[in-house]
Amino acid sequence: MENLLIFMAIAFDHHLHTPMYFFLMNLSIVDLGSISVIVPKSMANSLMNTRSISYAGCVAQVFFLFFLLGADFSLLTIMAYDRYVAICQPLRYETIMNSRACVQMATGAWISGILYSVLHTRNTFALTFCGGNMVDQFFCEVPQLLKLACSDSYLSEVGVLAFSVCLVLGCFVFIIVSYVQICKLVLRIPSEQGRHKAFSTCLPHLIVVSLFVCTGAFAYLKPTSNSPSALDLVVAVLYSILPPIMNPIIYSMRNKEMNAALRRLTGCR
């Protein structure tokens, strides 16, 4: 509901038609989708006291989850760059972040998510599974699926996962460097209110990105065990469910312009 309200508020309020909110609108769509890929099926299984999912359903879950998580992280990287340009190069902001560039960046994020998803889904389900059909997770998570693969046939997907983690860590380093540059500039701002506004915008973004990267890397790089673990469940929740829930709170609910737009949308004073 939070993500849907944010999308509607930005789409229908012309005051929010700026690059930052354009990317936030895309992020809200991605977050809404990633929650919908996992949570409804898990809730349905819980209510019906079953743990089953069809093969086609598992394929679809892996495809859409990788697609949306890939697009999500791409958008988070773009948003870090947007904040860097806005704070560190304000005079060039409108030139660099023009409407055409914003559309191209957002399109690139969605396309990269699709390519990333196709690569992983194809590699994963090209494997021969002979280790049973029980996945020790509340959704079709690739490391748990690899446990069911025969002999060494899963090594190609392990290689792709390792490459993906390196790519994500590269983007993470870019985000960190962007925020280090922002912090250096912000600390030179004489106004305490200006420093507080800049930090309140950037630090929550960095916290969510760090949570997403660290838990995701841990889930996909740690050795899988033969027995189910509560830690696997907690880590999966932290990288797949918590960020889409936290993003609206961190990016929007503490933002005065967004709060005003939401009040106008809902008719509240």
Side-chain angles (χ1 to χ4, degrees), residues 83-233:
R83 290 300 84 207
Y84 166 77
V85 176
I87 294 174
C88 298
Q89 303 182 40
L91 297 180
R92 299 180 59 201
Y93 182 72
E94 291 187 4
T95 303
I96 297 173
M97 303 301 292
N98 58 68
S99 57
R100 182 179 179 182
C102 290
V103 170
Q104 288 176 341
M105 282 188 249
T107 303
W110 288 99
I111 292 174
S112 66
I114 292 174
L115 296 176
Y116 184 68
S117 177
V118 168
L119 178 64
H120 280 288
T121 307
R122 178 184 174 279
N123 261 21
T124 301
F125 291 98
L127 302 175
T128 302
F129 297 101
C130 56
N133 61 355
M134 295 292 293
V135 179
D136 297 325
Q137 191 54 274
F138 65 95
F139 65 98
C140 287
E141 189 183 42
V142 168
Q144 301 299 328
L145 290 172
L146 295 182
K147 289 165 57 176
L148 309 179
C150 301
S151 62
D152 295 333
S153 62
Y154 63 90
L155 291 179
S156 60
E157 175 58 14
V158 170
V160 172
L161 285 175
F163 171 75
S164 300
V165 170
C166 291
L167 191 64
V168 167
L169 290 177
C171 292
F172 185 51
V173 170
F174 173 83
I175 293 172
I176 295 292
V177 171
S178 298
Y179 281 118
V180 167
Q181 296 300 318
I182 290 171
C183 289
K184 284 182 179 179
L185 184 65
V186 166
L187 290 173
R188 295 201 295 265
I189 296 176
S191 166
E192 184 177 345
Q193 184 179 2
R195 289 198 301 269
H196 178 266
K197 182 177 180 181
F199 277 124
S200 66
T201 301
C202 298
L203 287 181
H205 185 183
L206 189 57
I207 290 169
V208 172
V209 172
S210 301
L211 177 68
F212 180 53
V213 171
C214 294
T215 54
F218 180 80
Y220 283 84
L221 288 181
K222 78 175 186 66
T224 56
S225 60
N226 293 324
S227 58
S229 167
L231 179 62
D232 292 338
L233 179 66

Side-chain angles (χ1 to χ4, degrees), residues 3 31 34-36 38-40 42 65 69 138-139 211-212 215 233-248:
N3 285 296
D31 288 340
S34 60
I35 285 286
S36 302
I38 296 175
V39 175
S42 300
L65 184 62
L69 290 182
F138 65 95
F139 65 98
L211 177 68
F212 180 53
T215 54
L233 179 66
V234 171
V235 169
V237 170
L238 288 177
Y239 82 80
S240 64
I241 294 179
L242 191 60
I245 293 173
M246 294 301 296
N247 281 338

Side-chain angles (χ1 to χ4, degrees), residues 1 45 72 76 174 210 232 257:
M1 183 60 72
N45 281 355
D72 191 295
L76 290 173
F174 173 83
S210 301
D232 292 338
E257 292 179 338

